[in-house]
Amino acid sequence: MAERLSIRKILVVVDGTETGVRAARYAARLAALHGAALTAVAVVDTATLKSLLRSSVLVQVEMEEFSAQLEASAQSSLNYAAQLAHESGVAIDVLLRKGSAHSVVIEEARRLAPDLLVMGSFSTSLIKRDLSARGRRLIVD
């Protein structure tokens, strides 16, 4: 006999991408289906911004402007996740963090100890995409 899957806590990473939006939808539906607690985290990748500043791709003023734009975008993603949760009848905690995206996600996963981590696929960082849209040439390993 198969063991019943017990999902009590779900952590979803939201980032404003199409796959991130899809992850938020799945997470809200799964939380509703399992009666699980839902937490959404969005990360402003300040580590990449600081790296771009050090390598003179950005100047300080641009970094500050870009950081504010990224923070507003992250908050918008969290608001959307909260709306999805509300529509699914699920309570949600939202977290806006700053730092290295992968480090923050790992830290929050350790701290919250979710049964399930839901996230979209990462093909490129939002910073790289947004700088490309601004016409900046960016070379990052």
Side-chain angles (χ1 to χ4, degrees), residues 48-117:
T48 300
L49 287 174
K50 288 175 185 173
S51 173
L52 294 173
L53 179 65
R54 281 191 305 272
S55 62
S56 299
V57 172
L58 294 176
V59 296
Q60 183 68 36
V61 172
E62 288 176 312
M63 187 189 85
E64 290 167 4
E65 288 174 5
F66 205 42
S67 180
Q69 291 170 0
L70 290 173
E71 189 167 338
S73 176
Q75 188 60 59
S76 178
S77 295
L78 288 170
N79 293 345
Y80 183 67
Q83 176 188 337
L84 291 171
H86 177 74
E87 291 169 359
S88 297
V90 173
I92 186 170
D93 289 324
V94 295
L95 307 172
L96 178 60
R97 300 291 189 249
K98 295 180 180 183
S100 170
H102 67 279
S103 296
V104 169
V105 171
I106 291 169
E107 179 183 310
E108 290 301 329
R110 285 186 177 142
R111 184 178 72 80
L112 297 169
D115 299 305
L116 186 64
L117 172 64

Side-chain angles (χ1 to χ4, degrees), residues 56-59 62 128 130-138:
S56 299
V57 172
L58 294 176
V59 296
E62 288 176 312
K128 291 177 193 174
D130 290 346
L131 282 173
S132 296
R134 287 180 164 201
R136 295 269 191 174
R137 185 159 196 257
L138 177 61

